[in-house]
Amino acid sequence: MIVKRPPLNFWERLYLPAISNGFKVTARHFFSKKITMQYPEEKWTVPDGYRGAPYLVKDQDERTKCVSCQLCEFVCPPKAIKITPPGPKPDPTTGNVEKTPLEFEINMLRCIFCGYCQEVCPEEAIFLMKDYSLTGSNRKEMIYNKEKLLALGGVRPDPIMKWKQKADEAVEQGMKP
């Protein structure tokens, strides 16, 4: 099918009307009020439903709340989380906590901030922080290890204090804590 184009008239061949319309638009925007945010000094307010970067948290006794169940690793769609469990021996220095991960890594370049890891965590050890400024100079810096995730996540008070209750139950039953 051939579409016939009408021939251009003299003004259309000069392109002057198009150029003048472009200058009008430029002038209108040039003299209007600017709405650009000066980023490092001004930061935008994060909406309530925003899902930011996932970080690990500690309880009020400065212990890692993660028990290395690996549910977050299994549910992560882009496979950004990698957990290495400690093995069969529990660590006696962690009190009555079942086990803590030997290694915990989140590749922030892969993470899509979906929030599945927070939803599936039975110990509430992962929280999505309202952080939107993730930067790094190379790929290795964007793989957050356990120490960095705990430092960024901070301490979250645990109202249930499950590990203290377990220790109290063990003392009541005559077992050593």
Side-chain angles (χ1 to χ4, degrees):
M1 177 174 166
I2 298 174
V3 177
K4 291 204 170 210
R5 293 186 181 193
L8 299 175
N9 63 23
F10 177 73
W11 282 107
E12 290 172 338
R13 279 185 280 158
L14 286 179
Y15 297 109
L16 288 179
I19 291 172
S20 65
N21 285 339
F23 279 133
K24 285 181 201 173
V25 170
T26 302
R28 188 174 60 230
H29 286 289
F30 187 75
F31 294 111
S32 66
K33 185 177 185 280
K34 308 293 186 272
I35 56 170
T36 304
M37 181 184 299
Q38 303 300 321
Y39 169 62
E41 294 83 22
E42 299 175 22
K43 295 196 179 198
W44 62 289
T45 56
V46 182
D48 288 334
Y50 181 78
R51 294 181 301 217
Y55 296 132
L56 285 175
V57 294
K58 298 177 184 178
D59 63 2
Q60 60 271 15
D61 297 329
E62 295 289 325
R63 294 183 300 205
T64 306
K65 290 179 82 174
C66 178
V67 293
S68 189
C69 67
Q70 296 179 309
L71 287 175
C72 56
E73 183 178 9
F74 297 136
V75 78
C76 184
K79 303 297 181 204
I81 300 174
K82 184 179 124 188
I83 300 173
T84 305
K89 250 192 210 176
D91 185 12
T93 61
T94 59
N96 204 29
V97 178
E98 291 170 0
K99 57 183 180 174
T100 59
L102 191 61
E103 291 179 21
F104 192 107
E105 290 181 349
I106 298 180
N107 187 342
M108 291 300 179
L109 294 173
R110 283 188 181 179
C111 183
I112 58 174
F113 309 119
C114 62
Y116 289 169
C117 53
Q118 180 184 7
E119 290 176 18
V120 77
C121 185
E123 299 295 326
E124 294 182 351
I126 296 181
F127 279 92
L128 300 179
M129 302 295 179
K130 300 201 181 284
D131 186 11
Y132 57 86
S133 180
L134 302 174
T135 58
S137 59
N138 58 26
R139 289 182 175 269
K140 198 170 193 175
E141 287 181 13
M142 296 305 292
I143 298 174
Y144 290 6
N145 61 3
K146 182 170 80 168
E147 289 75 29
K148 186 171 184 175
L149 290 167
L150 286 169
L152 293 170
V155 176
R156 284 266 173 145
D158 188 8
I160 299 172
M161 297 199 295
K162 174 176 135 181
W163 305 119
K164 187 174 182 330
Q165 289 176 2
K166 283 190 161 206
D168 294 343
E169 288 172 6
V171 169
E172 287 173 8
Q173 294 175 355
M175 305 167 121
K176 66 181 201 177

